[in-house]
Amino acid sequence: MYVAVKGGEQAIQAAHQQQAQRRRGDLNIAELSVTQIQGQLSLGVERVMTEGGIYDQELAALAIKQACGDQVEAIFLLRAYRTTLPMLFTCAPLNTQKMRVQRRISAIYKDLPGGQQLGPTFDYSHRLLDFSLLAEGLGKPTATQEADASTGSNTEANTEPSLQQPFSRVFNMLEQQQLAKPEVDCAAEPADISRDAIHFPCSRAARMQQLSRGDEGFLLALAYSTQRGYGRNHPFAGEIRCGEVALEICPEELGFNIEIGSVLLSECEMVNGFVQPKEAPAHFTRGYGLAFGFSERKAMAVALLDRALQAQQYDEAITSPAQDEEFVLAHADNVAAAGFVSHLKLPHYVDFQSELELLRKMHQSQHAPCANTGYPSGNPSGQPSKQTVTKETDNAKV
Amino acid sequence: MQRFNQHLATLDADLGYNFGYLDEQTKRMIRRAILKGIAIPGYQVPFGGREMPMPYGWGTGGVMLSAAVLGRDDVFKVIDQGADDTTNAVSIRQFFAKVCQIDTTTSTDAASVIQTRHRIPEQALKHGQILIYQVPIPEPLRFIEPRETETQKMHALAEYGPMQVKLYEDIVKYGYIATSYAYPVMVNQRYLMDPSPIPKFDNPKLNQSPALMLFGAGREKRIYCIPPYTEVASLDFADHPFAVQQWSEPCSLCHSTTSFLDEVLIDDQGQRMFVCSDTDYCQQQQASKQEPCHG
Amino acid sequence: MDNLAYVLPQTNPLASELPLLQAEQLSQWFAPGKGFAPLDLSLYRGEVLAIVGESGSGKTTLLKALSGRLTPQQGQVLYRHGEQAANLYQISEAQRRNIMRQDFGIVHQHPMDGLRPRISAGGNIGERLMEVGWRHYGDIRAQAKSWLSAVEIDIDRIDDLPITFSGGMAQRLQIARNLVTHPKVVFMDEPTGGLDVSVQARLLDLIRKLVSELQLAVVIVTHDLAVARLLAHRIMVMKQGEVVEAGLTDRVLDDPQHPYTQLLVSSVLQQ
């Protein structure tokens, strides 16, 4: 006698146990601490913070540990935790002009006020596996560090951390020369996509938020597609800067801003192809990207897409996926995407049963004479058989 | 800071989370969306969906609705594919047992709130019960028109011709309407609605139901509702009327001839048997037949 | 002469009723030389008006503005149905789409622009019926068949996809799809444009027959004076977005006043 499968609870418990063992790995090897992840896997931590939507290195590191290093899973953990946090304050707009810059480069001027500062980057390192990193627990500098120290005496770029006063953004200079239009605050209350559903067409505020939280891989690929001709926008990296920016709030009781800390940010401003409007001088267009931590690849991708999504505003033909607001924004979130793809693992017995039943019905009518259907049975056009069975959702596309 | 302290005070001391996981403000936001949905039956209300501790596509919409409507006196039942013991149903039931510490049940009759994926229980629902559906794609027109901006316009202007054309084409191709689940319905003669991927077998139970029906799509951030005693009509043609699935044999366990049957493969020779997908219903049928007074 | 020429007669020589469709000071300029300058026109029940001119003269843009598909920069379009006159661009989008669905027909130059290529011919014709509430499969098919015959398509093709049709047949299907709900006004943009000469003649014949049988009012855009001569009661000649001459078809073609019209007519004669 058949007995329906029972014991889902025990099965789930066992699965959790196995996953916990797999996470911990070999018990003879010391457990990885959250502080170690925070300190030594900082780029991973910063990506998880950006897409998880919480600036907290410790929690992001914890999420990475708990997720066995799976970034998308770690981002999801952080997002789910974010749901439980109350919103206490909205901070004052960040002033990235006052950033304590650790890295700042521009690809459009050889030298400029503030100078080029490379800061920490992989940009100029040879991607050779550094086997000296295999030697653990030694306090000596590694081969990579030594090699970079000997060749890295870049005359154009100052690699020392900035001790200067805050310096002007590249775009401020372009604006002064009327080569770019200043960004103007539209004065509307910005949307908050973490609180309200996004509506299309959406505001720039909502778009920037969705892009900042969007999956780095997806955005990178779309940004790349604009460079390969699918919605070209002629970009130059106007300025990329990374560093600490003060976070200020204005408590009602005080009535003025106070500094409550700082966040490490990467900001990218792209200079894009120019336009020549009737009522204003010809000027470059621009795209903007911002991310937590040293995440300049992400910030650049966001800036390229921010510009691509301004296509309508500039009366450009919308021909490519990267210019299509609904396509880009509705599919950028990896928590949503991973969830929906993985839900295919859930049981679909009932729907599958319904499809089975339909298919069997079709089998039957294929064998039966074709008289009961009330439509001409002949097919004089010689088209492919109309009994071809495709999935119902495909048929629905007209 | 005062607001934060209030928030802390409402947290369950042992758990570290508020009753029902969500904070009270979020619950109120969801309840407002539910009220709007009840006022406009079948209309998809956008709401500020939150990330939940289970993945999108695994019932976050239903979980948010449950979190917003459950009270301390509620008795909660969760089914997936009609069964109480499928892993996802177990997981969601455990979640609410933990964050609400309320009673749970597998009995359709005893439950005040039922969260479901892909089925409506066989046993008729009662006035006062709430049935909460998990919805993957709330937009019935999505596979006809992928753009939200367009489908919103089609709903606003009740331009549902293309959906009827799709059914027409089915009849041309197959001789009948070849949609077996997530079968589109017209609610209160106004809004076209996706009843979630329930088999069309369950569609008639939507019409004039005494229970309140709530539909939650977490990833798509939409809520829609069917208030009790609302007309819900499955789309069809006068000369090709809507019809539900039928089986040629009864349930092998309880011998019911009126329930939705799942097919179970019992060996690798293609031998199969049919059993009720609704486990609670099947067990009750078996129990009532074993009682000596009925014997 | 030029100033007077672009004002069409405001009274219908055939009847004393109000115009069905009326444009007042209507204009749409995209860029210098693109679009059309302010103009007035009226169309009466059962009347065929041809808008002729070379490509780039603004006639297709004008057709879009007249048919509710392009909000003009200036002026208005009035549509009279029953007792009421609706100002196409001041009523709500819902009302406008309702008028377009029920009372207007639009025949595009390329039939696939006006057909659903992956829906059967019957479904294409039936769509408008289903939009206005038809829910009987057999009745919808009966209507589709009778319209297929009316446009001289073999009714056995009812379940075939438009992509399997020849150009002329697809164009006739597009016309059937538009006429099935008995619209009051049909807008046609170069309906014989991409077709062979012999196919053109047959299609023109069909259009003329349907227009007179159904008492349709038609605005037809064409660069072909022969098409205008055959179908139109009145004609409006456009050049670079300006109406240079307008009047009864025979008068304009037999006694053209404007040099541009004279040029058009003489070039046809020389062929």
Side-chain angles (χ1 to χ4, degrees):
Chain A
M1 184 65 207
Y2 164 78
V3 182
V5 180
K6 293 274 175 194
E9 307 200 13
Q10 288 104 302
I12 291 176
Q13 235 165 27
H16 288 168
Q17 255 167 22
Q18 288 186 27
Q19 182 57 41
Q21 282 166 6
R22 194 170 149 69
R23 182 190 67 70
R24 177 59 183 84
D26 187 347
L27 290 174
N28 294 317
I29 294 170
E31 183 167 356
L32 188 59
S33 77
V34 169
T35 345
Q36 283 175 322
I37 297 173
Q38 196 179 325
Q40 297 173 38
L41 298 178
S42 58
L43 292 178
V45 167
E46 284 157 0
R47 175 175 175 197
V48 170
M49 291 197 303
T50 301
E51 294 172 37
I54 304 180
Y55 190 89
D56 188 317
Q57 282 104 337
E58 187 182 23
L59 289 181
L62 169 63
I64 290 173
K65 176 174 176 177
Q66 189 180 331
C68 284
D70 179 339
Q71 295 257 297
V72 174
E73 179 69 20
I75 289 160
F76 177 21
L77 284 169
L78 213 55
R79 284 272 193 93
Y81 177 69
R82 191 184 197 279
T83 296
T84 68
L85 299 177
M87 189 180 284
L88 301 175
F89 285 102
T90 304
C91 72
L94 299 180
N95 187 349
T96 53
Q97 174 127 350
K98 288 190 184 162
M99 179 185 275
R100 288 186 289 279
V101 166
Q102 297 178 26
R103 169 169 166 79
R104 188 279 192 118
I105 54 166
S106 169
I108 59 172
Y109 291 113
K110 186 174 182 187
D111 199 7
L112 65 170
Q116 308 263 16
Q117 300 180 34
L118 291 191
T121 176
F122 291 123
D123 282 354
Y124 308 98
S125 64
H126 297 138
R127 267 57 170 213
L128 303 172
L129 276 178
D130 178 358
F131 297 108
S132 64
L133 289 174
L134 277 173
E136 286 171 18
L138 305 173
K140 293 189 296 188
T142 64
T144 317
Q145 286 165 353
E146 282 172 1
D148 284 355
S150 60
T151 58
S153 53
N154 195 322
T155 47
E156 286 171 43
N158 169 17
T159 53
E160 291 300 307
S162 166
L163 298 170
Q164 313 171 22
Q165 289 301 307
F167 45 77
S168 186
R169 281 212 207 71
V170 169
F171 258 96
N172 292 0
M173 302 175 231
L174 293 174
E175 286 164 13
Q176 275 165 12
Q177 301 170 60
Q178 294 199 312
L179 295 172
K181 237 166 93 174
E183 296 275 26
V184 190
D185 186 350
C186 70
E189 180 77 12
D192 181 351
I193 61 156
S194 73
R195 302 272 139 178
D196 302 301
I198 199 166
H199 287 274
F200 299 112
C202 71
S203 65
R204 180 131 182 250
R207 177 209 300 166
M208 297 307 310
Q209 289 169 40
Q210 183 74 350
L211 288 177
S212 284
R213 300 214 310 183
D215 182 80
E216 182 173 320
F218 177 75
L219 299 183
L220 180 68
L222 279 173
Y224 174 49
S225 75
T226 67
Q227 291 181 280
R228 291 191 67 260
Y230 290 84
R232 265 185 96 193
N233 54 36
H234 309 277
F236 298 94
E239 179 167 9
I240 294 168
R241 47 166 78 191
C242 310
E244 300 267 349
V245 179
L247 203 60
E248 294 183 347
I249 59 166
C250 179
E252 267 176 45
E253 302 89 318
L254 295 181
F256 54 85
N257 285 359
I258 53 167
E259 193 175 320
I260 56 164
S262 66
V263 288
L264 184 63
L265 294 173
S266 296
E267 182 187 57
C268 170
E269 287 198 274
M270 288 284 178
V271 182
N272 296 87
F274 55 81
V275 290
Q276 193 169 13
K278 270 183 225 148
E279 64 287 350
H283 61 80
F284 290 114
T285 58
R286 57 201 291 178
Y288 183 81
L290 189 71
F292 286 152
F294 278 88
S295 307
E296 68 187 47
R297 190 195 298 124
K298 169 71 175 272
M300 290 175 80
V302 170
L304 285 169
L305 288 171
D306 173 42
R307 175 58 188 85
L309 293 174
Q310 294 168 35
Q312 192 168 24
Q313 184 187 327
Y314 290 115
D315 282 330
E316 294 163 345
I318 296 175
T319 52
S320 303
Q323 298 167 308
D324 184 330
E325 176 180 275
E326 258 197 78
F327 181 84
V328 175
L329 300 185
H331 302 116
D333 191 293
N334 58 23
V335 178
F340 201 48
V341 168
S342 75
H343 111 286
L344 293 173
K345 294 180 281 186
L346 283 179
H348 285 80
Y349 319 137
V350 166
D351 296 345
F352 187 69
Q353 184 64 44
S354 300
E355 292 286 80
L356 270 184
E357 190 267 346
L358 187 63
L359 220 70
R360 296 229 164 87
K361 191 169 157 188
M362 285 172 180
H363 282 186
Q364 274 171 8
S365 60
Q366 265 175 332
H367 296 303
C370 174
N372 56 342
T373 52
Y375 68 99
S377 53
N379 184 7
S381 68
Q383 276 193 83
S385 163
K386 288 173 180 175
Q387 296 292 345
T388 308
V389 176
T390 52
K391 262 214 70 75
E392 166 248 330
T393 45
D394 297 333
N395 290 339
K397 182 100 181 135
V398 286
Chain B
M1 278 327 266
Q2 208 178 0
R3 269 171 62 197
F4 188 55
N5 291 338
Q6 276 172 1
H7 168 78
L8 285 176
T10 61
L11 293 182
D12 192 302
D14 301 330
L15 196 64
Y17 291 111
N18 191 27
F19 179 84
Y21 189 75
L22 295 172
D23 62 283
E24 293 304 313
Q25 281 170 322
T26 302
K27 287 191 202 172
R28 278 199 283 275
M29 175 273 296
I30 295 171
R31 287 179 201 141
R32 281 194 294 270
I34 294 173
L35 288 175
K36 183 169 179 181
I38 291 172
I40 318 171
Y43 169 73
Q44 299 166 49
V45 185
F47 79 111
R50 306 282 197 259
E51 283 82 1
M52 296 302 283
M54 50 282 290
Y56 279 126
W58 294 55
T60 52
V63 168
M64 277 186 267
L65 285 172
S66 294
V69 302
L70 281 173
R72 295 193 189 273
D73 300 332
D74 274 309
V75 180
F76 191 48
K77 170 182 164 86
V78 187
I79 50 173
D80 185 346
Q81 315 293 301
D84 296 274
D85 56 2
T86 40
T87 46
N88 200 43
V90 171
S91 160
I92 291 171
R93 191 166 58 239
Q94 282 178 343
F95 174 72
F96 280 105
K98 192 165 161 188
V99 298
C100 293
Q101 299 180 331
I102 52 167
D103 292 338
T104 61
T105 182
T106 57
S107 156
T108 301
D109 197 48
S112 59
V113 178
I114 304 172
Q115 183 172 330
T116 179
R117 178 167 171 266
H118 297 192
R119 274 311 309 274
I120 299 176
E122 303 290 357
Q123 182 179 337
L125 297 173
K126 296 172 296 190
H127 189 71
Q129 284 183 312
I130 301 177
L131 186 60
I132 293 174
Y133 296 74
Q134 303 173 196
V135 181
I137 304 266
E139 179 51 72
L141 299 164
R142 179 59 67 238
F143 298 109
I144 291 172
E145 170 53 61
R147 276 176 199 288
E148 190 66 25
T149 38
E150 264 309 302
T151 52
Q152 277 177 9
K153 202 171 272 183
M154 290 165 82
H155 283 297
L157 305 176
E159 285 186 356
Y160 296 137
M163 175 56 92
Q164 202 73 27
V165 171
K166 195 244 158 202
L167 303 183
Y168 171 94
E169 293 290 298
D170 267 7
I171 303 177
V172 168
K173 281 201 191 97
Y174 309 114
Y176 41 81
I177 296 169
T179 298
S180 59
Y181 62 91
Y183 191 104
V185 294
M186 187 63 89
V187 179
N188 203 27
Q189 305 185 2
R190 174 58 183 84
Y191 281 99
L192 186 68
M193 191 192 92
D194 182 329
S196 87
I198 56 172
K200 67 177 180 175
F201 180 89
D202 285 339
N203 273 23
K205 298 176 194 160
L206 294 163
N207 188 33
Q208 300 292 347
S209 169
L212 170 63
M213 311 232 186
L214 309 179
F215 297 78
R219 189 176 42 79
E220 302 271 345
K221 298 184 169 55
R222 295 289 185 276
I223 287 171
Y224 51 100
C225 310
I226 303 177
Y229 307 109
T230 302
E231 183 188 323
V232 180
S234 303
L235 296 193
D236 62 0
F237 289 96
D239 47 345
H240 284 266
F242 173 80
V244 300
Q245 294 104 321
Q246 284 176 335
W247 282 260
S248 52
E249 51 187 291
C251 168
S252 303
L253 301 180
C254 76
H255 312 296
S256 167
T257 54
T258 56
S259 66
F260 187 94
L261 302 180
D262 273 344
E263 189 171 322
V264 183
L265 295 177
I266 45 181
D267 61 22
D268 53 11
Q269 307 299 308
Q271 283 273 358
R272 53 184 206 263
M273 62 185 282
F274 290 90
V275 294
C276 289
S277 97
D278 184 335
T279 48
D280 173 58
Y281 175 80
C282 194
Q283 278 154 16
Q284 301 213 354
Q285 294 296 305
Q286 291 175 57
S288 71
K289 277 166 190 153
Q290 276 163 10
E291 277 170 33
C293 57
H294 294 292
Chain C
M1 186 68 229
D2 279 1
N3 286 342
L4 290 174
Y6 72 74
V7 181
L8 284 166
Q10 290 299 301
T11 52
N12 182 4
L14 307 172
S16 58
E17 58 182 348
L18 290 165
L20 194 59
L21 192 75
Q22 196 169 359
E24 289 170 353
Q25 287 301 297
L26 191 67
S27 171
Q28 170 75 27
W29 281 107
F30 297 111
K34 267 199 91 189
F36 59 91
L39 59 81
D40 294 348
L41 70 77
S42 22
L43 180 75
Y44 291 83
R45 195 177 309 216
E47 185 184 36
V48 180
L49 168 68
I51 304 172
V52 298
E54 59 198 5
S55 58
S57 59
K59 51 193 194 313
T60 295
T61 309
L62 171 59
L63 194 74
K64 278 192 180 158
L66 287 175
S67 57
R69 291 175 294 153
L70 176 78
T71 307
Q73 283 164 339
Q74 182 191 320
Q76 54 184 6
V77 179
L78 293 172
Y79 171 67
R80 283 195 181 77
H81 54 139
E83 300 289 291
Q84 299 190 340
N87 187 332
L88 277 193
Y89 295 103
Q90 298 212 332
I91 54 179
S92 71
E93 186 175 8
Q95 291 168 313
R96 182 166 63 247
R97 278 168 78 128
N98 203 31
I99 288 175
M100 290 170 65
R101 194 162 56 194
Q102 303 220 17
D103 291 7
F104 288 4
I106 292 159
V107 177
H108 300 264
Q109 175 176 3
H110 303 292
M112 287 307 162
D113 292 347
L115 292 170
R116 292 185 187 269
R118 301 275 163 197
I119 294 289
S120 68
N124 265 288
I125 298 176
E127 179 170 350
R128 285 182 78 148
L129 295 174
M130 290 181 245
E131 268 176 355
V132 298
W134 285 46
R135 291 292 181 269
H136 190 285
Y137 179 79
D139 290 354
I140 294 166
R141 284 182 78 77
Q143 272 292 310
K145 281 180 186 168
S146 94
W147 275 99
L148 284 174
S149 321
V151 297
E152 299 164 14
I153 296 175
D154 187 345
I155 57 169
D156 286 345
R157 302 296 304 266
I158 187 168
D159 294 333
D160 295 347
L161 302 183
I163 46 173
T164 66
F165 285 16
S166 69
M169 227 162 105
Q171 193 57 291
R172 279 178 276 135
L173 179 63
Q174 194 195 181
I175 290 169
R177 173 178 158 95
N178 271 287
L179 297 186
V180 66
T181 47
H182 298 280
K184 307 286 186 300
V185 189
V186 179
F187 300 89
M188 299 188 180
D189 188 0
E190 304 273 11
T192 57
L195 304 173
D196 295 342
V197 178
S198 60
V199 180
Q200 275 190 26
R202 184 178 170 195
L203 186 66
L204 282 174
D205 235 29
L206 176 74
I207 293 175
R208 190 164 64 162
K209 193 181 93 188
L210 291 172
V211 163
S212 81
E213 275 174 13
L214 300 168
Q215 284 286 295
L216 291 175
V218 177
V219 181
I220 182 167
V221 158
T222 180
H223 68 282
D224 187 342
L225 289 186
V227 170
R229 166 87 78 184
L230 191 69
L231 295 177
H233 301 112
R234 282 190 295 134
I235 204 167
M236 202 167 98
V237 183
M238 290 183 77
K239 181 176 187 267
Q240 289 174 346
E242 308 263 356
V243 177
V244 296
E245 185 162 2
L248 293 174
T249 305
D250 291 345
R251 204 281 293 152
V252 173
L253 296 186
D254 296 342
D255 181 20
Q257 302 293 306
H258 191 276
Y260 178 70
T261 320
Q262 290 166 355
L263 185 74
L264 282 180
V265 171
S266 67
S267 68
V268 171
L269 288 177
Q270 280 160 12
Q271 277 176 1

